[in-house]
Every structure is written in C-alpha cells, then in structure tokens.
Amino acid sequence: MSPLKLNAEQARAPRDKSQKIFFVRHAKPELPHEGKLYYGHTDYPLSEIGVARARQLGNELRDVAFDRIYCSDLTRARQTAELILEGRDSKLNVTPSLREIFLGDWEGKSFDEVRTTWEELYEKRGASFDSVPPPGGESFLDLQRRSVPAFASILEESPSGNILVVAHAAFIWSVMCHYFSFKLNDLFFYPLDFCGMHLLYNANGLLRLMRYNWNSELLEGKFW
C-alpha cells in the first residue's frame, strides 16, 4: 500500500508507539577548586551561570510538550529540571538511580590532591577507568550496571511521547556506550557540555541517536 493511501489510524500508529528522549546534562554547578575536582554524589547547587543557562534551555524547549520528566535526586540535576520546566504544570519524577558515578574517597577532592595522594591508583585508573574504581567508589562499568537498567525502566514506564531526562555526564555517557557501541574509555573524546542535550528516537524498539550534545551556543560560534 502506498504511504499516501494510509488511513488516519494507520498513519498515526507508528508515531503513537514512538518515543523522543531529550537526554540533558545538568547545568553548571557552583564548584570549589575552580572546578578542578572530583564530584559525583557530592551535592553542589547550580552556579549563577548554570541557573541562567538552564532557564535558557527551558525557553528553547518551550514548544515541546513533555509527557514524562525524570531527573536525578542530586541538587544540580533537580534544579536544572525545575528551571527547564519553569512556568509549566508538570510532574517531576525525582529518581536516585539517575545519580552520577560515585567516586568514593575522591569525592570533593581536587585533582592535584588525588594525583599526589593516590599516585599509583591515579595512573592505573587513568589508563583504564572503565574497570578501575576510586577507593570505595564505582568504576564506569559499575555505573553502567545501574545506569542501563535505570534508563530501560524509564523507556518501559513511558511507552510513547516526549520524555525529558536530566542526569549527569558519566551516567549519560555510560548509557550511550551501551546502546550505540561507544567505548567507555573514550569519554573525553566526546564532550558532554553542561546543559548539552542528546536527542534519542525510539520507534518499535530501535533506538537512534538523532543529536549528540546539542547546544544553542554552538550556533553562536562560542566554541570555535
């Protein structure tokens, strides 16, 4: 049958079964050590710049009607989601399983302190951080073991429509690696900017990556 001859119900069916997932990294938090530190579960709030950028993203997404919204329970992700949804009557599902990687004894410590205190482990993790965790923390493989089921659960709970997920860089990256065959150790070759948005499209179980790390500032030449 020609696509032009589909009746209204048939034409609507694939769209009704599809999902658009707006996967957003939180906005910039207020960080000590000029931002040169390890923070995963350490709960920093957004900076002034972060608040402004989250509001801007909300304005850029003002015409998107979200059917379900999820965010990590960490302050920087929750605040980002709330600012994106400012002015909307929307239910926010705060979900602890969307948390960033846990960095154990390195949480809140500067890069320099970690490098000098755990020199051998620092070098070992730098060569293979997919499988080598900080003391008492998670490796990226550990993170992926909880991030993928958490993301899959969201897809199951929301079988169609537009879904907003506000999470963290390592969490998002570990999910991307699972679904799109990226390598966990290649994280730093693929930027995940604050408020960077990754648009995924799921139709009949086939998940496609439509946009990676989209940011309106790219259009203004701020990264070049």
Side-chain angles (χ1 to χ4, degrees):
M1 179 183 292
S2 166
L4 297 178
K5 296 186 180 296
L6 292 175
N7 62 40
E9 183 177 352
Q10 290 171 318
R12 188 169 57 247
R15 184 160 54 251
D16 289 346
K17 294 179 181 178
S18 68
Q19 299 162 308
K20 288 182 182 177
I21 302 98
F22 296 77
F23 217 165
V24 176
R25 185 188 179 191
H26 62 80
K28 185 176 182 179
E30 188 67 50
L31 299 173
H33 305 298
E34 299 180 341
K36 298 177 181 179
L37 78 160
Y38 290 90
Y39 66 103
H41 287 194
T42 308
D43 204 12
Y44 296 110
L46 293 185
S47 64
E48 290 185 13
I49 292 174
V51 168
R53 181 65 188 98
R55 282 202 173 108
Q56 181 184 347
L57 181 57
N59 185 56
E60 292 161 354
L61 296 174
R62 65 186 179 278
D63 294 329
V64 180
F66 293 112
D67 297 282
R68 291 184 74 89
I69 303 126
Y70 299 84
C71 75
S72 158
D73 65 334
L74 294 175
T75 301
R76 57 191 183 271
R78 180 176 49 77
Q79 285 182 325
T80 300
E82 289 171 349
L83 289 164
I84 291 173
L85 300 170
E86 210 167 42
R88 302 188 190 216
D89 183 18
S90 303
K91 180 184 177 182
L92 180 58
N93 296 286
V94 180
T95 310
S97 59
L98 299 182
R99 280 191 174 200
E100 180 60 291
I101 191 169
F102 179 52
L103 296 170
D105 292 348
W106 294 4
E107 286 280 347
K109 292 182 171 59
S110 71
F111 295 158
D112 288 341
E113 182 180 357
V114 167
R115 187 165 45 244
T116 56
T117 306
W118 290 274
E119 184 176 357
E120 184 176 346
L121 181 60
Y122 177 88
E123 295 294 335
K124 186 177 179 182
R125 183 176 183 269
S128 186
F129 56 73
D130 59 343
S131 57
V132 178
E138 293 177 306
S139 69
F140 275 72
L141 285 170
D142 293 330
L143 169 62
Q144 194 175 60
R145 291 185 187 102
R146 67 173 170 87
S147 67
V148 171
F151 183 74
S153 178
I154 287 174
L155 298 184
E156 291 173 5
E157 291 174 6
S158 312
S160 64
N162 296 323
I163 306 165
L164 174 64
V165 181
V166 181
H168 305 266
F171 183 96
I172 293 170
W173 179 250
S174 65
V175 170
M176 294 285 194
C177 289
H178 174 79
Y179 284 98
F180 303 113
S181 299
F182 298 145
K183 294 180 180 179
L184 278 172
N185 267 357
D186 286 348
L187 168 62
F188 298 108
F189 293 101
Y190 296 88
L192 291 98
D193 299 322
F194 293 123
C195 271
M197 184 172 68
H198 319 280
L199 180 60
L200 283 60
Y201 180 70
N202 187 21
N204 300 316
L206 179 62
L207 193 66
R208 291 188 288 170
L209 179 56
M210 309 303 292
R211 292 290 185 275
Y212 179 87
N213 201 40
W214 181 88
N215 189 321
S216 64
E217 293 182 348
L218 289 169
L219 306 178
E220 302 168 8
K222 293 185 178 181
F223 291 91
W224 308 101

